[in-house]
PDB file of all heavy atoms in Angstrom:
ATOM      1  N   LEU J 175     -10.201  -8.480  13.588  1.00 97.00           N
ATOM      2  CA  LEU J 175     -11.499  -8.374  13.993  1.00 97.00           C
ATOM      3  C   LEU J 175     -12.174  -7.203  13.203  1.00 97.00           C
ATOM      4  O   LEU J 175     -11.574  -6.109  12.989  1.00 97.00           O
ATOM      5  CB  LEU J 175     -11.619  -8.035  15.486  1.00 97.00           C
ATOM      6  CG  LEU J 175     -11.032  -9.079  16.447  1.00 97.00           C
ATOM      7  CD1 LEU J 175     -11.231  -8.622  17.915  1.00 97.00           C
ATOM      8  CD2 LEU J 175     -11.743 -10.440  16.237  1.00 97.00           C
ATOM      9  N   LEU J 176     -13.397  -7.457  12.700  1.00 96.00           N
ATOM     10  CA  LEU J 176     -14.051  -6.484  11.886  1.00 96.00           C
ATOM     11  C   LEU J 176     -15.459  -6.175  12.556  1.00 96.00           C
ATOM     12  O   LEU J 176     -16.273  -7.117  12.824  1.00 96.00           O
ATOM     13  CB  LEU J 176     -14.334  -6.942  10.470  1.00 96.00           C
ATOM     14  CG  LEU J 176     -15.130  -6.084   9.645  1.00 96.00           C
ATOM     15  CD1 LEU J 176     -14.546  -4.737   9.301  1.00 96.00           C
ATOM     16  CD2 LEU J 176     -15.380  -6.846   8.242  1.00 96.00           C
ATOM     17  N   ASN J 177     -15.721  -4.884  12.820  1.00 95.00           N
ATOM     18  CA  ASN J 177     -17.015  -4.490  13.368  1.00 95.00           C
ATOM     19  C   ASN J 177     -17.688  -3.537  12.302  1.00 95.00           C
ATOM     20  O   ASN J 177     -17.314  -2.361  12.316  1.00 95.00           O
ATOM     21  CB  ASN J 177     -16.861  -3.801  14.766  1.00 95.00           C
ATOM     22  CG  ASN J 177     -18.190  -3.496  15.402  1.00 95.00           C
ATOM     23  OD1 ASN J 177     -19.174  -3.222  14.663  1.00 95.00           O
ATOM     24  ND2 ASN J 177     -18.305  -3.545  16.698  1.00 95.00           N
ATOM     25  N   LYS J 178     -18.495  -4.050  11.529  1.00 92.00           N
ATOM     26  CA  LYS J 178     -19.123  -3.229  10.492  1.00 92.00           C
ATOM     27  C   LYS J 178     -20.067  -2.168  11.010  1.00 92.00           C
ATOM     28  O   LYS J 178     -20.326  -1.201  10.413  1.00 92.00           O
ATOM     29  CB  LYS J 178     -19.774  -4.153   9.465  1.00 92.00           C
ATOM     30  CG  LYS J 178     -18.893  -5.096   8.721  1.00 92.00           C
ATOM     31  CD  LYS J 178     -19.518  -5.967   7.683  1.00 92.00           C
ATOM     32  CE  LYS J 178     -20.355  -7.072   8.312  1.00 92.00           C
ATOM     33  NZ  LYS J 178     -19.558  -7.991   9.054  1.00 92.00           N
ATOM     34  N   THR J 179     -20.640  -2.483  12.131  1.00 93.00           N
ATOM     35  CA  THR J 179     -21.598  -1.656  12.738  1.00 93.00           C
ATOM     36  C   THR J 179     -21.042  -0.192  12.978  1.00 93.00           C
ATOM     37  O   THR J 179     -21.606   0.847  12.645  1.00 93.00           O
ATOM     38  CB  THR J 179     -22.256  -2.148  14.042  1.00 93.00           C
ATOM     39  OG1 THR J 179     -22.815  -3.417  13.762  1.00 93.00           O
ATOM     40  CG2 THR J 179     -23.272  -1.195  14.588  1.00 93.00           C
ATOM     41  N   VAL J 180     -19.806  -0.219  13.520  1.00 93.00           N
ATOM     42  CA  VAL J 180     -19.107   1.017  13.843  1.00 93.00           C
ATOM     43  C   VAL J 180     -17.978   1.248  12.866  1.00 93.00           C
ATOM     44  O   VAL J 180     -17.093   2.209  13.157  1.00 93.00           O
ATOM     45  CB  VAL J 180     -18.609   1.054  15.301  1.00 93.00           C
ATOM     46  CG1 VAL J 180     -19.867   0.987  16.265  1.00 93.00           C
ATOM     47  CG2 VAL J 180     -17.705  -0.142  15.557  1.00 93.00           C
ATOM     48  N   LYS J 181     -17.884   0.470  11.846  1.00 92.00           N
ATOM     49  CA  LYS J 181     -16.791   0.600  10.856  1.00 92.00           C
ATOM     50  C   LYS J 181     -15.396   0.652  11.487  1.00 92.00           C
ATOM     51  O   LYS J 181     -14.614   1.616  11.354  1.00 92.00           O
ATOM     52  CB  LYS J 181     -16.976   1.897  10.018  1.00 92.00           C
ATOM     53  CG  LYS J 181     -18.245   1.714   9.113  1.00 92.00           C
ATOM     54  CD  LYS J 181     -18.371   2.834   8.083  1.00 92.00           C
ATOM     55  CE  LYS J 181     -18.827   4.120   8.747  1.00 92.00           C
ATOM     56  NZ  LYS J 181     -19.159   5.198   7.734  1.00 92.00           N
ATOM     57  N   HIS J 182     -15.077  -0.435  12.209  1.00 94.00           N
ATOM     58  CA  HIS J 182     -13.928  -0.480  13.025  1.00 94.00           C
ATOM     59  C   HIS J 182     -13.163  -1.839  12.722  1.00 94.00           C
ATOM     60  O   HIS J 182     -13.800  -2.906  12.629  1.00 94.00           O
ATOM     61  CB  HIS J 182     -14.133  -0.392  14.511  1.00 94.00           C
ATOM     62  CG  HIS J 182     -12.941  -0.397  15.339  1.00 94.00           C
ATOM     63  ND1 HIS J 182     -12.446  -1.565  15.882  1.00 94.00           N
ATOM     64  CD2 HIS J 182     -12.105   0.554  15.766  1.00 94.00           C
ATOM     65  CE1 HIS J 182     -11.366  -1.292  16.668  1.00 94.00           C
ATOM     66  NE2 HIS J 182     -11.140   0.058  16.541  1.00 94.00           N
ATOM     67  N   LEU J 183     -11.835  -1.751  12.600  1.00 94.00           N
ATOM     68  CA  LEU J 183     -11.047  -2.890  12.253  1.00 94.00           C
ATOM     69  C   LEU J 183      -9.886  -2.923  13.331  1.00 94.00           C
ATOM     70  O   LEU J 183      -9.465  -1.935  13.746  1.00 94.00           O
ATOM     71  CB  LEU J 183     -10.413  -2.679  10.960  1.00 94.00           C
ATOM     72  CG  LEU J 183      -9.947  -3.815  10.087  1.00 94.00           C
ATOM     73  CD1 LEU J 183     -10.950  -4.873   9.740  1.00 94.00           C
ATOM     74  CD2 LEU J 183      -9.304  -3.276   8.812  1.00 94.00           C
ATOM     75  N   SER J 184      -9.556  -4.119  13.800  1.00 96.00           N
ATOM     76  CA  SER J 184      -8.437  -4.163  14.705  1.00 96.00           C
ATOM     77  C   SER J 184      -7.545  -5.359  14.306  1.00 96.00           C
ATOM     78  O   SER J 184      -7.933  -6.321  13.681  1.00 96.00           O
ATOM     79  CB  SER J 184      -8.858  -4.357  16.198  1.00 96.00           C
ATOM     80  OG  SER J 184      -9.440  -5.559  16.342  1.00 96.00           O
ATOM     81  N   LEU J 185      -6.237  -5.223  14.699  1.00 97.00           N
ATOM     82  CA  LEU J 185      -5.311  -6.264  14.383  1.00 97.00           C
ATOM     83  C   LEU J 185      -4.613  -6.615  15.756  1.00 97.00           C
ATOM     84  O   LEU J 185      -4.147  -5.721  16.431  1.00 97.00           O
ATOM     85  CB  LEU J 185      -4.184  -5.786  13.464  1.00 97.00           C
ATOM     86  CG  LEU J 185      -3.040  -6.749  13.175  1.00 97.00           C
ATOM     87  CD1 LEU J 185      -3.495  -7.949  12.328  1.00 97.00           C
ATOM     88  CD2 LEU J 185      -1.828  -6.046  12.479  1.00 97.00           C
ATOM     89  N   GLN J 186      -4.678  -7.878  16.111  1.00 98.00           N
ATOM     90  CA  GLN J 186      -4.087  -8.326  17.326  1.00 98.00           C
ATOM     91  C   GLN J 186      -2.849  -9.196  16.987  1.00 98.00           C
ATOM     92  O   GLN J 186      -2.925 -10.077  16.120  1.00 98.00           O
ATOM     93  CB  GLN J 186      -5.096  -9.134  18.146  1.00 98.00           C
ATOM     94  CG  GLN J 186      -6.312  -8.313  18.508  1.00 98.00           C
ATOM     95  CD  GLN J 186      -7.355  -9.220  19.233  1.00 98.00           C
ATOM     96  OE1 GLN J 186      -7.179 -10.343  19.566  1.00 98.00           O
ATOM     97  NE2 GLN J 186      -8.503  -8.680  19.425  1.00 98.00           N
ATOM     98  N   ILE J 187      -1.745  -8.824  17.607  1.00 98.00           N
ATOM     99  CA  ILE J 187      -0.458  -9.600  17.422  1.00 98.00           C
ATOM    100  C   ILE J 187      -0.252 -10.273  18.737  1.00 98.00           C
ATOM    101  O   ILE J 187       0.023  -9.601  19.717  1.00 98.00           O
ATOM    102  CB  ILE J 187       0.742  -8.708  16.949  1.00 98.00           C
ATOM    103  CG1 ILE J 187       0.303  -7.918  15.728  1.00 98.00           C
ATOM    104  CG2 ILE J 187       1.921  -9.553  16.701  1.00 98.00           C
ATOM    105  CD1 ILE J 187       1.338  -6.886  15.358  1.00 98.00           C
ATOM    106  N   ALA J 188      -0.146 -11.622  18.670  1.00 97.00           N
ATOM    107  CA  ALA J 188       0.212 -12.334  19.946  1.00 97.00           C
ATOM    108  C   ALA J 188       1.636 -12.480  20.106  1.00 97.00           C
ATOM    109  O   ALA J 188       2.464 -12.622  19.186  1.00 97.00           O
ATOM    110  CB  ALA J 188      -0.449 -13.676  19.887  1.00 97.00           C
ATOM    111  N   ALA J 189       2.112 -12.406  21.386  1.00 97.00           N
ATOM    112  CA  ALA J 189       3.520 -12.549  21.742  1.00 97.00           C
ATOM    113  C   ALA J 189       4.421 -11.794  20.785  1.00 97.00           C
ATOM    114  O   ALA J 189       5.259 -12.247  20.104  1.00 97.00           O
ATOM    115  CB  ALA J 189       3.908 -14.030  21.660  1.00 97.00           C
ATOM    116  N   THR J 190       4.209 -10.491  20.921  1.00 97.00           N
ATOM    117  CA  THR J 190       4.975  -9.545  20.049  1.00 97.00           C
ATOM    118  C   THR J 190       6.450  -9.723  20.067  1.00 97.00           C
ATOM    119  O   THR J 190       7.025  -9.864  21.199  1.00 97.00           O
ATOM    120  CB  THR J 190       4.619  -8.075  20.346  1.00 97.00           C
ATOM    121  OG1 THR J 190       3.192  -7.973  20.452  1.00 97.00           O
ATOM    122  CG2 THR J 190       5.074  -7.162  19.250  1.00 97.00           C
ATOM    123  N   GLN J 191       7.109  -9.667  18.942  1.00 96.00           N
ATOM    124  CA  GLN J 191       8.530  -9.983  18.838  1.00 96.00           C
ATOM    125  C   GLN J 191       9.232  -8.669  18.315  1.00 96.00           C
ATOM    126  O   GLN J 191       8.633  -7.865  17.653  1.00 96.00           O
ATOM    127  CB  GLN J 191       8.812 -11.170  17.902  1.00 96.00           C
ATOM    128  CG  GLN J 191       8.150 -12.435  18.349  1.00 96.00           C
ATOM    129  CD  GLN J 191       8.198 -13.522  17.264  1.00 96.00           C
ATOM    130  OE1 GLN J 191       8.756 -13.264  16.187  1.00 96.00           O
ATOM    131  NE2 GLN J 191       7.687 -14.655  17.600  1.00 96.00           N
ATOM    132  N   PRO J 192      10.588  -8.617  18.506  1.00 96.00           N
ATOM    133  CA  PRO J 192      11.323  -7.380  17.944  1.00 96.00           C
ATOM    134  C   PRO J 192      11.087  -7.226  16.432  1.00 96.00           C
ATOM    135  O   PRO J 192      10.954  -6.104  15.993  1.00 96.00           O
ATOM    136  CB  PRO J 192      12.670  -7.679  18.252  1.00 96.00           C
ATOM    137  CG  PRO J 192      12.612  -8.586  19.639  1.00 96.00           C
ATOM    138  CD  PRO J 192      11.450  -9.408  19.369  1.00 96.00           C
ATOM    139  N   GLY J 193      10.899  -8.371  15.730  1.00 96.00           N
ATOM    140  CA  GLY J 193      10.765  -8.293  14.316  1.00 96.00           C
ATOM    141  C   GLY J 193       9.334  -7.701  13.929  1.00 96.00           C
ATOM    142  O   GLY J 193       9.192  -7.422  12.745  1.00 96.00           O
ATOM    143  N   ASP J 194       8.545  -7.508  14.821  1.00 97.00           N
ATOM    144  CA  ASP J 194       7.204  -6.980  14.608  1.00 97.00           C
ATOM    145  C   ASP J 194       7.290  -5.364  14.637  1.00 97.00           C
ATOM    146  O   ASP J 194       6.226  -4.697  14.251  1.00 97.00           O
ATOM    147  CB  ASP J 194       6.114  -7.418  15.623  1.00 97.00           C
ATOM    148  CG  ASP J 194       5.872  -8.873  15.597  1.00 97.00           C
ATOM    149  OD1 ASP J 194       5.920  -9.490  14.484  1.00 97.00           O
ATOM    150  OD2 ASP J 194       5.652  -9.510  16.654  1.00 97.00           O
ATOM    151  N   SER J 195       8.374  -4.830  15.044  1.00 97.00           N
ATOM    152  CA  SER J 195       8.516  -3.357  14.963  1.00 97.00           C
ATOM    153  C   SER J 195       8.371  -2.844  13.542  1.00 97.00           C
ATOM    154  O   SER J 195       9.209  -3.267  12.692  1.00 97.00           O
ATOM    155  CB  SER J 195       9.762  -2.997  15.589  1.00 97.00           C
ATOM    156  OG  SER J 195       9.937  -3.237  17.016  1.00 97.00           O
ATOM    157  N   ALA J 196       7.425  -2.055  13.353  1.00 97.00           N
ATOM    158  CA  ALA J 196       7.223  -1.492  11.901  1.00 97.00           C
ATOM    159  C   ALA J 196       6.024  -0.515  12.093  1.00 97.00           C
ATOM    160  O   ALA J 196       5.461  -0.274  13.126  1.00 97.00           O
ATOM    161  CB  ALA J 196       6.869  -2.694  11.041  1.00 97.00           C
ATOM    162  N   VAL J 197       5.624  -0.051  10.897  1.00 96.00           N
ATOM    163  CA  VAL J 197       4.416   0.808  10.811  1.00 96.00           C
ATOM    164  C   VAL J 197       3.290  -0.128  10.172  1.00 96.00           C
ATOM    165  O   VAL J 197       3.571  -0.914   9.249  1.00 96.00           O
ATOM    166  CB  VAL J 197       4.564   2.035   9.950  1.00 96.00           C
ATOM    167  CG1 VAL J 197       3.293   2.775   9.740  1.00 96.00           C
ATOM    168  CG2 VAL J 197       5.628   2.926  10.508  1.00 96.00           C
ATOM    169  N   TYR J 198       2.109  -0.044  10.821  1.00 97.00           N
ATOM    170  CA  TYR J 198       1.071  -0.988  10.322  1.00 97.00           C
ATOM    171  C   TYR J 198      -0.062  -0.119   9.837  1.00 97.00           C
ATOM    172  O   TYR J 198      -0.526   0.844  10.446  1.00 97.00           O
ATOM    173  CB  TYR J 198       0.474  -1.789  11.577  1.00 97.00           C
ATOM    174  CG  TYR J 198       1.468  -2.869  11.958  1.00 97.00           C
ATOM    175  CD1 TYR J 198       2.612  -2.589  12.732  1.00 97.00           C
ATOM    176  CD2 TYR J 198       1.433  -4.204  11.483  1.00 97.00           C
ATOM    177  CE1 TYR J 198       3.473  -3.508  13.129  1.00 97.00           C
ATOM    178  CE2 TYR J 198       2.227  -5.161  11.922  1.00 97.00           C
ATOM    179  CZ  TYR J 198       3.345  -4.853  12.658  1.00 97.00           C
ATOM    180  OH  TYR J 198       4.292  -5.767  13.031  1.00 97.00           O
ATOM    181  N   PHE J 199      -0.556  -0.477   8.642  1.00 95.00           N
ATOM    182  CA  PHE J 199      -1.662   0.221   7.966  1.00 95.00           C
ATOM    183  C   PHE J 199      -2.837  -0.775   7.808  1.00 95.00           C
ATOM    184  O   PHE J 199      -2.646  -1.863   7.402  1.00 95.00           O
ATOM    185  CB  PHE J 199      -1.252   0.687   6.568  1.00 95.00           C
ATOM    186  CG  PHE J 199      -0.172   1.773   6.590  1.00 95.00           C
ATOM    187  CD1 PHE J 199       1.162   1.466   6.489  1.00 95.00           C
ATOM    188  CD2 PHE J 199      -0.535   3.130   6.813  1.00 95.00           C
ATOM    189  CE1 PHE J 199       2.067   2.480   6.362  1.00 95.00           C
ATOM    190  CE2 PHE J 199       0.435   4.093   6.815  1.00 95.00           C
ATOM    191  CZ  PHE J 199       1.757   3.837   6.569  1.00 95.00           C
ATOM    192  N   CYS J 200      -4.041  -0.249   7.947  1.00 94.00           N
ATOM    193  CA  CYS J 200      -5.194  -0.868   7.470  1.00 94.00           C
ATOM    194  C   CYS J 200      -5.585  -0.381   6.144  1.00 94.00           C
ATOM    195  O   CYS J 200      -5.277   0.838   5.826  1.00 94.00           O
ATOM    196  CB  CYS J 200      -6.357  -0.821   8.447  1.00 94.00           C
ATOM    197  SG  CYS J 200      -7.006   0.768   8.618  1.00 94.00           S
ATOM    198  N   ALA J 201      -6.181  -1.143   5.329  1.00 92.00           N
ATOM    199  CA  ALA J 201      -6.605  -0.595   3.948  1.00 92.00           C
ATOM    200  C   ALA J 201      -7.975  -1.271   3.619  1.00 92.00           C
ATOM    201  O   ALA J 201      -8.256  -2.416   4.040  1.00 92.00           O
ATOM    202  CB  ALA J 201      -5.532  -1.082   2.970  1.00 92.00           C
TER     203      ALA J 201
END
Side-chain angles (χ1 to χ4, degrees):
Chain J
L175 300 178
L176 174 63
N177 185 330
K178 295 181 288 293
T179 302
V180 295
K181 292 189 286 188
H182 182 268
L183 199 64
S184 69
L185 176 70
Q186 301 176 6
I187 305 174
T190 313
Q191 302 171 359
D194 295 327
S195 292
V197 177
Y198 290 79
F199 292 98
C200 66

